[in-house]
Amino acid sequence: RLDQLLRERDASGEHGTSVSQIVTRLGVSQPTVSKHLKVLREAGLIRSERHGVEVRNHSRWTEVEARFPGLLDTLLKVMQHDN
C-alpha cells in the first residue's frame, strides 16, 4: 500500500520517496503511481517537494491524524470492506 510505504519511509528518517522508488517497492507502473500520488496530493494526504530533477513525496498522515483523530483509519477500513 502506497500510504503505508510513505509513512514507513518518513518514519525511518528518509527524505521523501520518489516515484521510481515506489514503482520498485510496490511493483506497479509509473503512470499508476503518479495518478495515485496526484489524488493523495489533492486530498492533502501527502506533500511533494522538488529536489533537482526528482520529486520527493512525504506522508502527511501524522498531521491529518492530529487534526482529525481516527478519520484516516476509518476511511481505510471502509475502503477495505468495500473491496
Side-chain angles (χ1 to χ4, degrees):
R1 292 186 7 218
L2 180 55
D3 62 311
Q4 185 175 0
L5 173 62
L6 292 175
R7 284 185 286 150
E8 287 172 0
R9 290 185 53 87
D10 284 348
S12 71
E14 295 289 333
H15 298 291
T17 307
S18 69
V19 170
S20 62
Q21 290 169 319
I22 296 168
V23 166
T24 300
R25 274 293 285 283
L26 299 181
V28 294
S29 71
Q30 181 273 326
T32 298
V33 170
S34 293
K35 287 177 189 175
H36 281 80
L37 289 173
K38 180 181 179 191
V39 170
L40 292 171
R41 190 178 314 104
E42 289 175 352
L45 298 177
I46 66 168
R47 64 183 169 81
S48 301
E49 299 175 344
R50 181 165 293 283
H51 291 272
V53 296
E54 188 174 69
V55 175
R56 296 286 186 143
N57 300 284
H58 302 267
S59 172
R60 293 190 65 224
W61 187 282
T62 304
E63 298 166 53
V64 174
E65 184 62 26
R67 191 161 187 194
F68 305 103
L71 174 66
L72 297 174
D73 283 329
T74 301
L75 289 173
L76 287 174
K77 287 177 187 172
V78 169
M79 289 173 46
Q80 289 172 349
H81 182 265
D82 288 347
N83 291 329

